[in-house]
Amino acid sequence: MEEMRLNKYLASCGICSRRDADKLIEQGAVTVNGMMAVQGMKVAKEDSVCVRGVQVAGQNKKVVLAYYKPVGVVCTQRDAHAERIVTEEIKYPVRVTYAGRLDKDSEGLLLLSNDGSLIDAMMRGANLHEKEYVVRTVQAWTSEEVEQMRQGVYLEELEAVTRPCKIETEDARTLRMVLTQGLNRQIRRMCKTQGHEVESLKRTRVMNITLQQLKPGEYRELTKEELTRLYEDCGLAMPEEALG
């Protein structure tokens, strides 16, 4: 391995995204050859890199999993107060991390991988990648409220206006929404602007990947066709080792 920036190396190992790697470095959680790491440093093959005292190493095989996150499971790496976290629910021989969160009270499709470059590309909001949700609310919707949501609404807590999105009504209380951004608790906040409370929220698709027949708590490896399309849509060349 040629010298590589530390945050990129941690991402390539599937530990986390480059942005989260920078945070780990800032927190003093990363050491290189026993010394605390600093931002911008590079590492080589012979270097010993540890995160919170555990040595990490690059994984040859790049994997991507589709996981049906149940309600109650938290998307976090470490949370002493969480009863169930994603990284402990997935029993897979290769360490993977998630691309994009689903809050504790939501369920549905979560993509996980040990390919940091792919995770970064999927999470980059400027790429306008689609994510589809089925949202059921306590109250019935009017056509005017739905149209306002389509055009974009102002979220006071985040001081942001949502991007225009696709919304279809499945029944009086159920919407199918396709978003191209991932603001914190975005759908729940959007619904709140129209006076609606979310009863259930389920993500059914991320880009070209769908839940298919997965049940809550189950996961599957992506097919060759799914992987090829996913990498292509992210503007990346699929690694030869992605299929083992």
Side-chain angles (χ1 to χ4, degrees):
M1 181 185 78
E2 297 181 359
E3 281 197 332
M4 180 186 297
R5 287 180 66 92
L6 180 56
N7 61 353
K8 182 177 180 180
Y9 176 74
L10 291 174
S12 72
C13 294
I15 302 300
C16 55
S17 68
R18 293 189 198 183
R19 182 180 299 178
D20 286 341
D22 285 333
K23 293 179 182 178
L24 288 173
I25 295 169
E26 290 175 2
Q27 294 166 2
V30 183
T31 61
V32 178
N33 301 324
M35 304 294 291
M36 188 173 296
V38 296
Q39 294 288 359
M41 72 182 301
K42 294 185 177 181
V43 294
K45 181 178 181 180
E46 60 272 15
D47 290 323
S48 173
V49 179
C50 296
V51 176
R52 297 191 179 94
V54 179
Q55 186 167 354
V56 299
Q59 296 285 350
N60 290 326
K61 182 182 178 182
K62 301 300 182 185
V63 298
V64 185
L65 306 178
Y67 169 58
Y68 190 143
K69 187 195 86 67
V71 172
V73 174
V74 181
C75 292
T76 182
Q77 299 290 344
R78 296 168 64 90
D79 186 342
H81 302 292
E83 294 182 4
R84 301 173 65 190
I85 64 176
V86 169
T87 51
E88 293 179 355
E89 294 287 316
I90 299 271
K91 307 301 182 183
Y92 193 77
V94 175
R95 181 172 181 176
V96 291
T97 191
Y98 44 84
R101 290 177 166 85
L102 274 175
D103 64 54
K104 180 180 179 181
D105 298 324
S106 301
E107 63 180 312
L109 180 60
L110 196 65
L111 296 184
L112 302 101
S113 179
N114 64 339
D115 188 337
S117 297
L118 179 65
I119 291 173
D120 279 339
M122 284 192 287
M123 293 181 65
R124 200 170 296 130
N127 288 337
L128 304 180
H129 296 316
E130 289 189 346
K131 296 180 284 291
E132 187 169 340
Y133 304 81
V134 175
V135 186
R136 186 164 180 80
T137 56
V138 175
Q139 307 90 348
W141 288 85
T142 67
S143 58
E144 292 80 9
E145 291 169 340
V146 173
E147 184 57 31
Q148 183 62 62
M149 295 264 282
R150 288 193 185 105
Q151 295 177 10
V153 294
Y154 178 69
L155 305 182
E156 185 175 357
E157 303 97 323
L158 305 181
E159 298 183 346
V161 177
T162 61
R163 289 176 184 156
C165 62
K166 302 174 187 176
I167 304 179
E168 299 296 333
T169 55
E170 297 203 338
D171 60 44
R173 294 168 50 203
T174 306
L175 306 178
R176 184 171 291 273
M177 303 177 62
V178 179
L179 306 185
T180 58
Q181 65 185 143
L183 301 176
N184 180 253
R185 297 177 70 84
Q186 179 173 342
I187 291 177
R188 295 179 188 276
R189 294 180 191 276
M190 289 176 69
C191 292
K192 185 179 178 181
T193 68
Q194 305 303 306
H196 287 267
E197 179 184 354
V198 172
E199 184 177 272
S200 64
L201 194 162
K202 178 179 178 180
R203 185 156 67 196
T204 59
R205 176 172 66 88
V206 175
M207 300 176 65
N208 65 302
I209 311 303
T210 62
L211 279 173
Q212 295 187 12
Q213 304 303 314
L214 288 177
K215 297 177 181 179
E218 295 181 343
Y219 69 86
R220 64 180 178 84
E221 294 183 359
L222 300 194
T223 65
K224 178 180 179 180
E225 291 74 19
E226 287 175 320
L227 281 172
T228 300
R229 171 75 181 279
L230 182 63
Y231 273 92
E232 180 181 305
D233 288 351
C234 285
L236 301 173
M238 187 171 70
E240 293 182 2
E241 67 272 19
L243 298 175

